[in-house]
Amino acid sequence: MDSRLRACCDLFHSAVREYAGRHEYDGIVADLSPDAIAHKLSRLGVGPALDDPHDEAHLKAFEAMLRVQFAPASEGGVEIHRWNPLLIASELDLACYDKEYAPAEERAAARARHLAGWPAAIDSALQSLDRVSVPVAKAALPALRGTAGGISSDDGAAGEQALAAHARLIAHLEAAAVSGPTETALGASALAALLGSGESVEVDLGALAARADSERDRLRALLDDACAQLKPGLSTADAVKQLVSDHPDIDGVLEQARKDTETALRFTAERGLAPYTDGECRVGPAPESRRWAMAMMSWAAPGEPEGPSWYHVTPPDPSWPAEDVEEWLAVFSRTTLPAITVHEVAPGHYAHGRALRRAPSEVRRTLFSEAFAEGWAHYVEELCLEEGYPGDGDREAELHYQAGVAIEALVRVTRFACAIGVHTGGMTVEDGARRFEQDAFLQGPAAVSEAARATFDPTYGRYTWGKLAILDLREEAKKRWGSEFSLSRFHAALLDLGSPPLGLMATALERG
């Protein structure tokens, strides 16, 4: 690997191991101590420039992003390793070895080395985690507790030592949840730098907030229209409640997800909406340590041999209280599950993953802009709406899909608004929860959970930001290419860039 690319990867092992397939990081848990972070930062940018100017700009954007994430405030950074415990949660992940990228014995050996590294990695992270705020600790604790879900008695002494270290980490966060600082706002300049550095753009937070409000209003009109036709005489709020209550039972969730996966792949291939839909996409529940996620894609990564990708769809546990089961099942309603499947499978993440395997450079196969990756998957939800999904002439099914797209998109655009509000100091978590209730039809704990996520995931507005940037570029492509524009040409040129920083996407128009 190029030395500069390696220096970047050394700061986020878990992401490049799983999503880029860089399995030289198997069995290694990143050292997040202050000294280790300082040493890794010193290695960024050391090495020759890349031959391709686009790839050089892509790599430079990631170097800039990592400096902002980890450097001290005096150097323009936010020192994320000091206040965000989700970094160590990602590094502790053992579920990455469940994927069939290598023989079972090889993956088991890597998992054993990884588990043996937990105590040292946790103790190094505890040296850094001195600024965890009360809201961040409370919001992050469920995910941190879940990281131990994959450890069993079969892991023997190594498992016991790992669990003891994990208990130290949980105790530290429980203390922070009581006595940590209460302030969570990064500040406008820090948030703008965090957003813009890795995307190679200058960020105007005021303009982004105004765009978010405008997009909310457009999406609300889209939802109102669908609800008025599906549930005449009901308010939109009451119609949404009825729509999401129409869902499979616990045993039927996976079956319905498999049917929707087949539909999404067929529709994408028939319409030529993504350059590749080959390979194998399996549907099944997530590993235990990831069952906090209702739906997610684990693709066959670019650096791995060909193998199955997994669309993880996790039904609720039957032992849960009935109210919790119903709330969880509502996500898999007839209205919302098709849009989620398009996002996760095709033309969304799965199809994107197939293109990443063909990306023409190591940088593009390894460093992924999350704003592009999530923005692409969010963009194609509405793309399929434009194309008449599910494509069988069933007007009622089309209206359900329209409503589902709008419901999902209203959550994401509200995240965008809340991230800006919380981190510029204009919004509390309580304010954010009310906005999720008013604008995205979430209630109670779900609204609070979404608003609290802004405290530890300040870029979680990336879904809407990326989608809007791709839509803007599509309009520019139509103007520039004229009669030679087609969706298939535009999408192929864009995905040839891998998962590019938003500010570099225009290369697709120059080279496509």
Side-chain angles (χ1 to χ4, degrees):
M1 194 191 301
D2 171 83
S3 61
R4 288 170 60 201
L5 182 57
R6 170 76 67 192
C8 288
C9 292
D10 283 349
L11 277 159
F12 54 114
H13 293 186
S14 61
V16 296
R17 176 170 50 232
E18 178 158 7
Y19 297 107
R22 303 301 314 207
H23 289 292
E24 59 264 54
Y25 290 101
D26 280 10
I28 302 173
V29 194
D31 183 344
L32 297 175
S33 66
D35 288 347
I37 293 296
H39 174 67
K40 292 174 184 180
L41 284 173
S42 72
R43 294 172 48 235
L44 289 176
V46 178
L50 302 180
D51 293 336
D52 186 297
H54 173 87
D55 289 347
E56 173 64 15
H58 189 145
L59 179 55
K60 277 186 174 180
F62 271 76
E63 290 168 343
M65 176 189 73
L66 292 166
R67 290 188 185 101
V68 171
Q69 287 183 346
F70 290 102
S74 60
E75 299 175 17
V78 300
E79 294 183 296
I80 191 172
H81 55 296
R82 298 184 67 177
W83 54 266
N84 190 346
L86 270 298
L87 291 183
I88 185 60
S90 296
E91 288 298 327
L92 297 179
D93 178 54
L94 297 171
C96 59
Y97 303 111
D98 291 341
K99 193 165 59 167
E100 300 166 22
Y101 62 85
E105 298 81 3
E106 183 180 325
R107 290 182 284 119
R111 181 189 176 280
R113 295 194 304 274
H114 195 125
L115 186 62
W118 271 36
I122 287 172
D123 289 341
S124 70
L126 288 174
Q127 294 177 40
S128 292
L129 288 169
D130 59 350
R131 294 184 183 172
V132 184
S133 69
V134 170
V136 168
K138 289 180 176 178
L141 268 167
L144 264 295
R145 291 191 177 105
T147 56
I151 300 175
S152 72
S153 58
D154 293 340
D155 290 309
E160 293 175 3
Q161 292 167 9
L163 288 173
H166 183 262
R168 294 195 294 275
L169 176 61
I170 296 301
H172 180 81
L173 295 178
E174 288 175 339
V178 174
S179 58
T182 57
E183 180 58 58
T184 60
L186 291 173
S189 61
L191 178 61
L194 193 62
L195 289 169
S197 56
E199 302 305 331
S200 199
V201 295
E202 292 292 327
V203 168
D204 181 335
L205 293 177
L208 287 181
R211 187 86 186 268
D213 287 347
S214 176
E215 178 67 359
R216 173 201 59 197
D217 295 343
R218 185 186 72 84
L219 293 167
R220 179 56 191 265
L222 195 68
L223 180 60
D224 288 345
D225 173 65
C227 288
Q229 295 184 67
L230 288 168
K231 301 290 181 181
L234 291 182
S235 68
T236 297
D238 287 340
V240 168
K241 288 179 183 178
Q242 286 197 11
L243 290 172
V244 299
S245 68
D246 179 9
H247 54 69
D249 60 17
I250 292 175
D251 295 332
V253 167
L254 290 174
E255 179 184 357
Q256 188 58 53
R258 291 187 182 103
K259 290 178 180 177
D260 287 347
T261 294
E262 292 174 1
T263 301
L265 287 167
R266 172 189 55 76
F267 186 87
T268 299
E270 288 176 353
R271 300 296 199 284
L273 300 180
Y276 310 104
T277 54
D278 59 331
E280 180 184 6
C281 183
R282 298 180 183 174
V283 181
E288 185 177 351
S289 63
R290 295 184 180 178
R291 291 189 182 170
W292 51 268
M294 296 176 176
M296 64 184 296
M297 173 55 58
S298 179
W299 59 42
E304 296 171 353
E306 185 60 87
S309 299
W310 278 94
Y311 174 27
H312 289 307
V313 179
T314 304
D317 189 318
S319 67
W320 292 356
E323 184 177 347
D324 292 350
V325 168
E326 178 61 27
E327 182 178 318
W328 193 276
L329 286 174
V331 173
F332 304 125
S333 72
R334 176 187 176 191
T335 298
T336 49
L337 184 56
I340 292 169
T341 302
V342 163
H343 179 105
E344 297 294 342
V345 180
H349 289 316
Y350 174 72
H352 187 192
R354 302 310 298 171
L356 285 168
R357 294 178 63 86
R358 277 92 162 186
S361 72
E362 198 170 38
V363 164
R364 299 185 209 182
R365 292 190 299 270
T366 306
L367 301 180
F368 307 149
S369 157
E370 290 190 28
F372 180 87
E374 295 298 353
W376 167 264
H378 194 29
Y379 156 75
V380 299
E381 296 169 35
E382 197 158 337
L383 170 72
C384 285
L385 177 63
E386 296 168 0
E387 293 290 304
Y389 193 85
D392 53 10
D394 183 340
R395 180 56 181 157
E396 184 177 352
E398 292 174 3
L399 286 169
H400 275 280
Y401 183 74
Q402 176 178 325
V405 166
I407 290 167
E408 293 294 307
L410 283 167
V411 172
R412 276 126 182 192
V413 77
T414 307
R415 289 174 180 171
F416 200 21
C418 284
I420 295 171
V422 166
H423 287 285
T424 57
M427 185 183 293
T428 65
V429 170
E430 292 73 21
D431 294 334
R434 284 192 289 272
R435 180 146 183 172
F436 275 103
E437 290 175 346
Q438 294 166 4
D439 291 353
F441 303 98
L442 298 182
Q443 298 299 318
V448 172
S449 177
E450 279 288 352
R453 180 176 166 183
T455 63
F456 63 83
D457 190 2
T459 65
Y460 81 148
R462 54 189 170 268
Y463 297 78
T464 299
W465 188 24
K467 177 189 76 172
L468 294 174
I470 292 170
L471 285 169
D472 290 346
L473 188 71
R474 190 175 75 176
E475 291 306 305
E476 179 61 28
K478 289 178 179 179
K479 293 176 184 176
R480 189 177 302 191
W481 293 348
S483 61
E484 296 181 344
F485 172 87
S486 69
L487 286 172
S488 59
R489 179 187 178 188
F490 175 63
H491 295 160
L494 195 53
L495 294 183
D496 187 62
L497 300 179
S499 192
L502 300 182
L504 303 181
M505 292 191 302
T507 300
L509 307 191
E510 299 162 6
R511 300 184 182 182

